[in-house]
Amino acid sequence: MRKPSPLGVRMHRTGTTELVKMATSTDALDSLAQDEVAASGFDAVVMNMAIMDVSTIAPLAHALPKLLKKGGIFVATLLHPVFFTCGATRNIQVVDGGPDGYPRIVRTKVIEKYLDVPPYHGVALYGQPAQQIYYHRPLHELFSTFFKTGLVMDAMEEPAFTAEDASPDRIESTSNFTQLPALLAFRMRKVL
């Protein structure tokens, strides 16, 4: 924990393992809400690329109204649950006779399951020392968990890679799928 800065910024940072344990523990979140730094409420709580690593988000959702001051925000980013889920396949077609005479590359994804996907093992970066567990949630399940606690979503973005991000030497690279968002970012606000 850090003391408030001269500018009034209060921060509480944790490592990923601690965050995942804290986010799923009602006791740990209640303890944080009672902490003197958190007592007046946070302006913002950020969870960057971690929701899909957390087995249950209900304890976090229930704690946020206690942790945020009125008007405070919760911002989260995660792998887009529509396009990054277990069993999703990346398909590449080479279509001859494009408008300029050169083959045209068509990239698509096939999603086999979306509504009921059990936890699955995967890798964030090839070569990482161990696989991690991903917890898929369809959009209605993800958002309703926060809505039930009184939070209101007031912003959402679906960032996608652009042509500038492309990896021409790796046609299978996710960065070449410029029409399918890789991430989902959303902001919830405490209004009462």
Side-chain angles (χ1 to χ4, degrees), residues 29-46:
L29 289 164
D30 286 344
S31 176
L32 176 61
Q34 301 304 316
D35 186 273
E36 72 177 62
V37 173
S40 61
F42 290 104
D43 296 313
V45 173
V46 177

Side-chain angles (χ1 to χ4, degrees), residues 1-15 18-19 22 32 35-47 67-69:
M1 291 281 203
R2 297 180 186 178
K3 299 279 184 201
S5 76
L7 299 176
V9 176
R10 296 180 312 279
M11 295 180 69
H12 178 84
R13 294 186 74 167
T14 65
E18 183 183 343
L19 175 66
M22 181 183 293
L32 176 61
D35 186 273
E36 72 177 62
V37 173
S40 61
F42 290 104
D43 296 313
V45 173
V46 177
M47 191 170 201
L67 294 171
L68 294 169
K69 65 175 151 182

